[in-house]
Amino acid sequence: MTATSFSATSAPGSLVLSGDIDAADHRALNDLIEQASETFTQNLTVDLRAVTFLPSIIVGVLARATVLAKKNGAQVTLVAAEGSVPQRVLTVCKIPFEQVDA
């Protein structure tokens, strides 16, 4: 995989992202989510609490993942901290997520 502007830590059922996720990272992020969710067939929690930049193309990757998982009987759950960039962006875009305390 190519270098990304963000970091990711994966564990079964979980993907924790941190840093600035740039537009150029959209393919890398999609691949990470696809692998972690076993091609959108297993439940996955994507933790965005430490993400500091979230452009619209990345929001599209996240939204697409939730739709593909649902079509396969699985769920991709997005988690964002109250007052964070992801929380504000996901709220404006009306994309469902779980909000946790900062």
Side-chain angles (χ1 to χ4, degrees):
M1 182 165 58
T2 60
T4 61
S5 62
F6 67 98
S7 64
T9 305
S10 182
S14 174
L15 184 61
V16 179
L17 306 175
S18 62
D20 291 352
I21 306 178
D22 292 333
D25 294 324
H26 72 281
R27 284 191 181 102
L29 179 59
N30 184 72
D31 291 348
L32 282 171
I33 294 172
E34 187 172 348
Q35 289 172 345
S37 68
E38 297 182 26
T39 314
F40 308 105
T41 62
Q42 300 297 313
N43 292 341
L44 178 67
T45 298
V46 180
D47 187 334
L48 303 167
R49 287 181 282 185
V51 171
T52 52
F53 184 68
L54 196 67
S56 61
I57 192 168
I58 299 303
V59 174
V61 169
L62 297 172
R64 178 180 175 274
T66 63
V67 169
L68 290 174
K70 187 173 182 178
K71 284 183 179 180
N72 289 315
Q75 183 174 352
V76 169
T77 303
L78 307 175
V79 176
E82 181 179 356
S84 68
V85 169
Q87 180 265 324
R88 292 190 304 270
V89 170
L90 295 173
T91 298
V92 168
C93 294
K94 298 189 184 319
I95 295 175
F97 67 97
E98 289 184 10
Q99 182 171 301
V100 295
D101 292 335

